[in-house]
mmCIF file of all heavy atoms in Angstrom:
data_model
loop_
_atom_site.group_PDB
_atom_site.id
_atom_site.type_symbol
_atom_site.label_atom_id
_atom_site.label_comp_id
_atom_site.label_asym_id
_atom_site.label_seq_id
_atom_site.Cartn_x
_atom_site.Cartn_y
_atom_site.Cartn_z
ATOM 1 N N ILE A 559 3.653 53.193 95.281
ATOM 2 C CA ILE A 559 2.314 52.644 95.592
ATOM 3 C C ILE A 559 1.366 53.482 96.467
ATOM 4 O O ILE A 559 0.391 53.016 96.848
ATOM 5 C CB ILE A 559 2.387 51.237 96.064
ATOM 6 C CG1 ILE A 559 3.051 51.098 97.483
ATOM 7 C CG2 ILE A 559 3.144 50.262 95.093
ATOM 8 C CD1 ILE A 559 2.925 49.778 98.215
ATOM 9 N N SER A 560 1.918 54.634 96.955
ATOM 10 C CA SER A 560 1.254 55.326 98.019
ATOM 11 C C SER A 560 -0.131 55.941 97.519
ATOM 12 O O SER A 560 -1.007 56.097 98.461
ATOM 13 C CB SER A 560 2.134 56.601 98.368
ATOM 14 O OG SER A 560 2.343 57.458 97.360
ATOM 15 N N LYS A 561 -0.314 56.212 96.239
ATOM 16 C CA LYS A 561 -1.710 56.629 95.820
ATOM 17 C C LYS A 561 -2.758 55.515 95.805
ATOM 18 O O LYS A 561 -3.867 55.752 96.262
ATOM 19 C CB LYS A 561 -1.532 57.240 94.482
ATOM 20 C CG LYS A 561 -0.589 58.424 94.438
ATOM 21 C CD LYS A 561 -0.849 59.249 93.355
ATOM 22 C CE LYS A 561 0.294 60.292 93.540
ATOM 23 N NZ LYS A 561 0.033 61.614 93.009
ATOM 24 N N ARG A 562 -2.250 54.280 95.653
ATOM 25 C CA ARG A 562 -3.205 53.172 95.539
ATOM 26 C C ARG A 562 -3.433 52.458 96.977
ATOM 27 O O ARG A 562 -4.519 52.156 97.325
ATOM 28 C CB ARG A 562 -2.807 52.092 94.561
ATOM 29 C CG ARG A 562 -3.081 52.500 93.203
ATOM 30 C CD ARG A 562 -2.495 51.440 92.263
ATOM 31 N NE ARG A 562 -1.029 51.453 92.298
ATOM 32 C CZ ARG A 562 -0.205 50.547 92.019
ATOM 33 N NH1 ARG A 562 -0.765 49.281 91.872
ATOM 34 N NH2 ARG A 562 1.050 50.642 92.081
ATOM 35 N N ARG A 563 -2.302 52.372 97.726
ATOM 36 C CA ARG A 563 -2.382 51.765 98.955
ATOM 37 C C ARG A 563 -1.612 52.623 100.064
ATOM 38 O O ARG A 563 -0.481 52.250 100.247
ATOM 39 C CB ARG A 563 -1.757 50.333 98.977
ATOM 40 C CG ARG A 563 -2.488 49.415 98.009
ATOM 41 C CD ARG A 563 -1.916 48.101 98.048
ATOM 42 N NE ARG A 563 -2.654 47.062 97.121
ATOM 43 C CZ ARG A 563 -3.600 46.385 97.636
ATOM 44 N NH1 ARG A 563 -4.050 46.451 98.648
ATOM 45 N NH2 ARG A 563 -4.273 45.574 96.611
ATOM 46 N N PRO A 564 -2.203 53.641 100.521
ATOM 47 C CA PRO A 564 -1.553 54.538 101.384
ATOM 48 C C PRO A 564 -0.973 53.915 102.715
ATOM 49 O O PRO A 564 0.017 54.153 103.325
ATOM 50 C CB PRO A 564 -2.425 55.763 101.636
ATOM 51 C CG PRO A 564 -3.742 55.251 101.338
ATOM 52 C CD PRO A 564 -3.558 54.137 100.230
ATOM 53 N N ARG A 565 -1.850 53.051 103.229
ATOM 54 C CA ARG A 565 -1.420 52.372 104.601
ATOM 55 C C ARG A 565 -0.237 51.513 104.474
ATOM 56 O O ARG A 565 0.742 51.436 105.294
ATOM 57 C CB ARG A 565 -2.533 51.603 105.178
ATOM 58 C CG ARG A 565 -3.642 52.552 105.787
ATOM 59 C CD ARG A 565 -4.694 51.855 106.621
ATOM 60 N NE ARG A 565 -5.553 52.505 107.501
ATOM 61 C CZ ARG A 565 -6.327 53.427 106.985
ATOM 62 N NH1 ARG A 565 -6.431 53.846 105.840
ATOM 63 N NH2 ARG A 565 -7.192 54.139 107.847
ATOM 64 N N THR A 566 -0.221 50.722 103.341
ATOM 65 C CA THR A 566 0.886 49.798 103.035
ATOM 66 C C THR A 566 2.090 50.631 102.806
ATOM 67 O O THR A 566 3.202 50.343 103.294
ATOM 68 C CB THR A 566 0.557 48.836 101.806
ATOM 69 O OG1 THR A 566 -0.559 48.256 102.050
ATOM 70 C CG2 THR A 566 1.668 47.998 101.550
ATOM 71 N N ALA A 567 2.050 51.805 102.125
ATOM 72 C CA ALA A 567 3.154 52.464 101.804
ATOM 73 C C ALA A 567 3.713 53.060 103.157
ATOM 74 O O ALA A 567 4.905 53.388 103.269
ATOM 75 C CB ALA A 567 2.729 53.671 100.777
ATOM 76 N N GLY A 568 2.850 53.589 104.018
ATOM 77 C CA GLY A 568 3.123 54.130 105.263
ATOM 78 C C GLY A 568 3.930 53.198 106.163
ATOM 79 O O GLY A 568 4.951 53.471 106.780
ATOM 80 N N ILE A 569 3.453 51.876 106.167
ATOM 81 C CA ILE A 569 4.199 50.780 106.881
ATOM 82 C C ILE A 569 5.598 50.657 106.195
ATOM 83 O O ILE A 569 6.569 50.465 106.953
ATOM 84 C CB ILE A 569 3.425 49.576 106.928
ATOM 85 C CG1 ILE A 569 2.197 49.823 107.712
ATOM 86 C CG2 ILE A 569 4.194 48.378 107.432
ATOM 87 C CD1 ILE A 569 1.057 48.627 107.590
ATOM 88 N N PHE A 570 5.651 50.583 104.878
ATOM 89 C CA PHE A 570 7.013 50.497 104.249
ATOM 90 C C PHE A 570 7.839 51.607 104.676
ATOM 91 O O PHE A 570 9.094 51.405 104.868
ATOM 92 C CB PHE A 570 6.849 50.426 102.702
ATOM 93 C CG PHE A 570 6.375 49.217 102.196
ATOM 94 C CD1 PHE A 570 6.034 49.088 100.831
ATOM 95 C CD2 PHE A 570 6.180 47.997 102.879
ATOM 96 C CE1 PHE A 570 5.632 47.839 100.158
ATOM 97 C CE2 PHE A 570 5.625 46.941 102.345
ATOM 98 C CZ PHE A 570 5.393 46.874 101.039
ATOM 99 N N HIS A 571 7.288 52.825 104.729
ATOM 100 C CA HIS A 571 8.215 53.981 105.078
ATOM 101 C C HIS A 571 8.661 53.851 106.635
ATOM 102 O O HIS A 571 9.709 54.132 106.864
ATOM 103 C CB HIS A 571 7.527 55.268 104.893
ATOM 104 C CG HIS A 571 7.278 55.546 103.474
ATOM 105 N ND1 HIS A 571 6.504 56.428 102.951
ATOM 106 C CD2 HIS A 571 7.896 55.003 102.406
ATOM 107 C CE1 HIS A 571 6.397 56.621 101.645
ATOM 108 N NE2 HIS A 571 7.296 55.622 101.260
ATOM 109 N N PHE A 572 7.839 53.423 107.449
ATOM 110 C CA PHE A 572 8.149 53.170 108.892
ATOM 111 C C PHE A 572 9.305 52.216 109.061
ATOM 112 O O PHE A 572 10.359 52.339 109.686
ATOM 113 C CB PHE A 572 7.016 52.679 109.757
ATOM 114 C CG PHE A 572 6.208 53.879 110.226
ATOM 115 C CD1 PHE A 572 4.746 53.735 110.113
ATOM 116 C CD2 PHE A 572 6.638 55.011 110.747
ATOM 117 C CE1 PHE A 572 4.034 54.803 110.574
ATOM 118 C CE2 PHE A 572 5.929 55.995 111.234
ATOM 119 C CZ PHE A 572 4.439 55.939 111.045
ATOM 120 N N VAL A 573 9.265 51.156 108.201
ATOM 121 C CA VAL A 573 10.181 49.948 108.203
ATOM 122 C C VAL A 573 11.427 50.414 107.660
ATOM 123 O O VAL A 573 12.555 50.183 108.286
ATOM 124 C CB VAL A 573 9.611 48.758 107.433
ATOM 125 C CG1 VAL A 573 10.763 47.720 107.313
ATOM 126 C CG2 VAL A 573 8.499 48.086 108.210
ATOM 127 N N ALA A 574 11.415 51.279 106.659
ATOM 128 C CA ALA A 574 12.594 51.782 105.998
ATOM 129 C C ALA A 574 13.404 52.564 106.934
ATOM 130 O O ALA A 574 14.561 52.703 107.077
ATOM 131 C CB ALA A 574 12.288 52.441 104.747
ATOM 132 N N ALA A 575 12.589 53.512 107.518
ATOM 133 C CA ALA A 575 13.171 54.487 108.545
ATOM 134 C C ALA A 575 13.818 53.805 109.769
ATOM 135 O O ALA A 575 15.020 54.108 110.051
ATOM 136 C CB ALA A 575 12.150 55.457 109.149
ATOM 137 N N VAL A 576 13.272 52.830 110.341
ATOM 138 C CA VAL A 576 13.812 52.105 111.450
ATOM 139 C C VAL A 576 15.014 51.244 111.057
ATOM 140 O O VAL A 576 16.014 51.383 111.729
ATOM 141 C CB VAL A 576 12.673 51.218 112.206
ATOM 142 C CG1 VAL A 576 13.322 50.278 113.205
ATOM 143 C CG2 VAL A 576 11.585 52.132 112.754
ATOM 144 N N VAL A 577 14.841 50.549 110.082
ATOM 145 C CA VAL A 577 15.938 49.549 109.550
ATOM 146 C C VAL A 577 17.217 50.616 109.108
ATOM 147 O O VAL A 577 18.322 50.112 109.334
ATOM 148 C CB VAL A 577 15.484 48.611 108.605
ATOM 149 C CG1 VAL A 577 16.635 47.900 107.975
ATOM 150 C CG2 VAL A 577 14.581 47.676 109.119
ATOM 151 N N GLY A 578 16.862 51.636 108.402
ATOM 152 C CA GLY A 578 17.928 52.427 108.000
ATOM 153 C C GLY A 578 18.728 53.052 109.078
ATOM 154 O O GLY A 578 19.964 53.183 109.058
ATOM 155 N N VAL A 579 18.024 53.484 110.226
ATOM 156 C CA VAL A 579 18.764 54.101 111.344
ATOM 157 C C VAL A 579 19.477 53.020 112.045
ATOM 158 O O VAL A 579 20.637 53.204 112.580
ATOM 159 C CB VAL A 579 17.681 54.791 112.169
ATOM 160 C CG1 VAL A 579 18.355 55.121 113.654
ATOM 161 C CG2 VAL A 579 17.242 55.998 111.643
ATOM 162 N N ILE A 580 18.973 51.646 112.053
ATOM 163 C CA ILE A 580 19.743 50.717 112.791
ATOM 164 C C ILE A 580 20.965 50.410 111.829
ATOM 165 O O ILE A 580 22.079 50.036 112.385
ATOM 166 C CB ILE A 580 18.943 49.394 112.831
ATOM 167 C CG1 ILE A 580 17.891 49.696 114.005
ATOM 168 C CG2 ILE A 580 19.718 48.106 113.230
ATOM 169 C CD1 ILE A 580 16.759 48.594 114.070
ATOM 170 N N GLY A 581 20.892 50.372 110.499
ATOM 171 C CA GLY A 581 21.825 50.097 109.624
ATOM 172 C C GLY A 581 23.040 50.994 109.541
ATOM 173 O O GLY A 581 24.239 50.524 109.782
ATOM 174 N N ILE A 582 22.789 52.178 109.508
ATOM 175 C CA ILE A 582 23.863 53.212 109.302
ATOM 176 C C ILE A 582 23.890 54.322 110.349
ATOM 177 O O ILE A 582 24.433 55.374 110.146
ATOM 178 C CB ILE A 582 24.089 53.731 107.907
ATOM 179 C CG1 ILE A 582 22.844 54.273 107.324
ATOM 180 C CG2 ILE A 582 24.659 52.663 107.039
ATOM 181 C CD1 ILE A 582 23.031 54.895 105.951
ATOM 182 N N SER A 583 22.924 54.300 111.286
ATOM 183 C CA SER A 583 22.864 55.202 112.387
ATOM 184 C C SER A 583 22.641 56.548 111.899
ATOM 185 O O SER A 583 21.592 56.819 111.282
ATOM 186 C CB SER A 583 24.223 55.059 113.243
ATOM 187 O OG SER A 583 24.020 55.479 114.586
ATOM 188 N N MET A 584 23.500 57.456 112.345
ATOM 189 C CA MET A 584 23.130 58.919 112.090
ATOM 190 C C MET A 584 23.365 59.278 110.630
ATOM 191 O O MET A 584 22.781 60.450 110.360
ATOM 192 C CB MET A 584 24.058 59.820 113.002
ATOM 193 C CG MET A 584 23.879 59.715 114.489
ATOM 194 S SD MET A 584 22.144 59.984 114.948
ATOM 195 C CE MET A 584 21.929 61.758 114.661
ATOM 196 N N PHE A 585 23.891 58.499 109.758
ATOM 197 C CA PHE A 585 23.837 58.872 108.419
ATOM 198 C C PHE A 585 22.495 58.892 107.824
ATOM 199 O O PHE A 585 22.139 59.549 106.848
ATOM 200 C CB PHE A 585 24.664 57.875 107.562
ATOM 201 C CG PHE A 585 26.117 58.160 107.600
ATOM 202 C CD1 PHE A 585 27.080 57.286 108.239
ATOM 203 C CD2 PHE A 585 26.687 59.164 106.871
ATOM 204 C CE1 PHE A 585 28.382 57.601 108.310
ATOM 205 C CE2 PHE A 585 28.012 59.474 106.749
ATOM 206 C CZ PHE A 585 28.866 58.545 107.446
ATOM 207 N N TYR A 586 21.480 58.174 108.443
ATOM 208 C CA TYR A 586 20.133 58.042 108.044
ATOM 209 C C TYR A 586 19.197 58.794 108.676
ATOM 210 O O TYR A 586 17.967 58.657 108.642
ATOM 211 C CB TYR A 586 19.770 56.565 108.106
ATOM 212 C CG TYR A 586 18.802 56.072 106.969
ATOM 213 C CD1 TYR A 586 19.410 55.680 105.657
ATOM 214 C CD2 TYR A 586 17.408 55.952 107.092
ATOM 215 C CE1 TYR A 586 18.463 55.248 104.637
ATOM 216 C CE2 TYR A 586 16.515 55.474 106.179
ATOM 217 C CZ TYR A 586 17.072 55.136 104.980
ATOM 218 O OH TYR A 586 16.196 54.753 103.977
ATOM 219 N N PHE A 587 19.726 59.856 109.413
ATOM 220 C CA PHE A 587 18.788 60.634 110.248
ATOM 221 C C PHE A 587 17.782 61.490 109.528
ATOM 222 O O PHE A 587 16.602 61.479 109.721
ATOM 223 C CB PHE A 587 19.594 61.509 111.113
ATOM 224 C CG PHE A 587 18.899 62.326 112.253
ATOM 225 C CD1 PHE A 587 18.237 61.725 113.239
ATOM 226 C CD2 PHE A 587 18.804 63.833 111.987
ATOM 227 C CE1 PHE A 587 17.449 62.398 114.133
ATOM 228 C CE2 PHE A 587 18.037 64.446 112.943
ATOM 229 C CZ PHE A 587 17.392 63.829 113.982
ATOM 230 N N ILE A 588 18.341 62.215 108.553
ATOM 231 C CA ILE A 588 17.430 63.063 107.727
ATOM 232 C C ILE A 588 16.385 62.206 106.892
ATOM 233 O O ILE A 588 15.193 62.571 106.860
ATOM 234 C CB ILE A 588 18.189 64.065 106.878
ATOM 235 C CG1 ILE A 588 19.003 64.956 107.693
ATOM 236 C CG2 ILE A 588 17.306 64.812 105.884
ATOM 237 C CD1 ILE A 588 19.993 65.912 106.977
ATOM 238 N N PRO A 589 16.772 61.198 106.208
ATOM 239 C CA PRO A 589 15.811 60.381 105.522
ATOM 240 C C PRO A 589 14.764 59.665 106.463
ATOM 241 O O PRO A 589 13.608 59.618 106.106
ATOM 242 C CB PRO A 589 16.708 59.246 104.749
ATOM 243 C CG PRO A 589 17.998 59.844 104.734
ATOM 244 C CD PRO A 589 18.243 60.805 105.944
ATOM 245 N N ALA A 590 15.334 59.348 107.564
ATOM 246 C CA ALA A 590 14.344 58.806 108.721
ATOM 247 C C ALA A 590 13.297 59.750 109.060
ATOM 248 O O ALA A 590 12.147 59.312 109.251
ATOM 249 C CB ALA A 590 15.169 58.118 109.840
ATOM 250 N N ILE A 591 13.593 60.972 109.249
ATOM 251 C CA ILE A 591 12.465 61.972 109.624
ATOM 252 C C ILE A 591 11.542 62.122 108.461
ATOM 253 O O ILE A 591 10.385 62.092 108.798
ATOM 254 C CB ILE A 591 13.174 63.278 109.934
ATOM 255 C CG1 ILE A 591 13.996 63.168 111.282
ATOM 256 C CG2 ILE A 591 12.225 64.396 110.015
ATOM 257 C CD1 ILE A 591 14.777 64.352 111.577
ATOM 258 N N LEU A 592 12.069 62.213 107.320
ATOM 259 C CA LEU A 592 11.163 62.342 106.186
ATOM 260 C C LEU A 592 10.280 60.997 105.950
ATOM 261 O O LEU A 592 9.132 61.242 105.703
ATOM 262 C CB LEU A 592 11.997 62.594 104.849
ATOM 263 C CG LEU A 592 12.653 63.915 104.761
ATOM 264 C CD1 LEU A 592 13.495 63.910 103.539
ATOM 265 C CD2 LEU A 592 11.684 65.097 104.667
ATOM 266 N N LEU A 593 10.912 59.858 106.173
ATOM 267 C CA LEU A 593 10.091 58.733 106.022
ATOM 268 C C LEU A 593 9.108 58.475 107.058
ATOM 269 O O LEU A 593 7.993 57.936 106.865
ATOM 270 C CB LEU A 593 11.089 57.487 105.905
ATOM 271 C CG LEU A 593 11.925 57.451 104.616
ATOM 272 C CD1 LEU A 593 12.939 56.390 104.715
ATOM 273 C CD2 LEU A 593 10.954 57.304 103.414
ATOM 274 N N ILE A 594 9.419 58.917 108.394
ATOM 275 C CA ILE A 594 8.432 58.811 109.477
ATOM 276 C C ILE A 594 7.294 59.702 109.285
ATOM 277 O O ILE A 594 6.142 59.334 109.554
ATOM 278 C CB ILE A 594 9.171 59.078 110.823
ATOM 279 C CG1 ILE A 594 10.104 57.818 111.105
ATOM 280 C CG2 ILE A 594 8.190 59.378 111.932
ATOM 281 C CD1 ILE A 594 11.039 58.080 112.306
ATOM 282 N N VAL A 595 7.596 60.983 108.628
ATOM 283 C CA VAL A 595 6.502 61.910 108.504
ATOM 284 C C VAL A 595 5.622 61.292 107.380
ATOM 285 O O VAL A 595 4.287 61.328 107.489
ATOM 286 C CB VAL A 595 7.080 63.296 108.005
ATOM 287 C CG1 VAL A 595 5.990 64.089 107.540
ATOM 288 C CG2 VAL A 595 7.663 64.002 109.207
ATOM 289 N N SER A 596 6.247 60.773 106.334
ATOM 290 C CA SER A 596 5.519 60.171 105.294
ATOM 291 C C SER A 596 4.605 58.936 105.733
ATOM 292 O O SER A 596 3.504 58.700 105.286
ATOM 293 C CB SER A 596 6.339 59.823 104.077
ATOM 294 O OG SER A 596 5.682 59.191 103.059
ATOM 295 N N GLY A 597 5.337 58.177 106.680
ATOM 296 C CA GLY A 597 4.576 57.015 107.212
ATOM 297 C C GLY A 597 3.374 57.299 107.990
ATOM 298 O O GLY A 597 2.251 56.706 107.809
ATOM 299 N N PHE A 598 3.488 58.446 108.800
ATOM 300 C CA PHE A 598 2.401 58.883 109.557
ATOM 301 C C PHE A 598 1.201 59.373 108.637
ATOM 302 O O PHE A 598 0.064 59.163 108.773
ATOM 303 C CB PHE A 598 2.705 60.086 110.563
ATOM 304 C CG PHE A 598 3.174 59.516 111.851
ATOM 305 C CD1 PHE A 598 4.401 59.825 112.369
ATOM 306 C CD2 PHE A 598 2.348 58.519 112.540
ATOM 307 C CE1 PHE A 598 4.865 59.313 113.594
ATOM 308 C CE2 PHE A 598 2.772 58.190 113.840
ATOM 309 C CZ PHE A 598 4.125 58.539 114.320
ATOM 310 N N MET A 599 1.638 60.097 107.526
ATOM 311 C CA MET A 599 0.604 60.578 106.528
ATOM 312 C C MET A 599 -0.088 59.440 105.939
ATOM 313 O O MET A 599 -1.282 59.513 105.735
ATOM 314 C CB MET A 599 1.306 61.462 105.456
ATOM 315 C CG MET A 599 1.805 62.757 106.006
ATOM 316 S SD MET A 599 2.931 63.629 104.903
ATOM 317 C CE MET A 599 1.816 63.943 103.528
#
């Protein structure tokens, strides 16, 4: 949905990054970095 609603998609990416790191810790480090960058974008 990032092309139609970029702010909503960014919030989804932030939530996914934070909850993923909480869920499985360092296993989610690389995806969290990508999702945080995408969330800021």
Side-chain angles (χ1 to χ4, degrees):
I559 67 166
S560 66
K561 297 201 185 211
R562 287 178 286 150
R563 298 184 181 271
R565 282 188 170 63
T566 305
I569 292 170
F570 283 174
H571 290 165
F572 279 133
V573 169
V576 170
V577 173
V579 167
I580 291 170
I582 56 174
S583 204
M584 293 307 289
F585 276 108
Y586 212 81
F587 184 69
I588 294 171
I591 290 175
L592 292 171
L593 291 172
I594 288 172
V595 167
S596 179
F598 273 122
M599 290 169 61

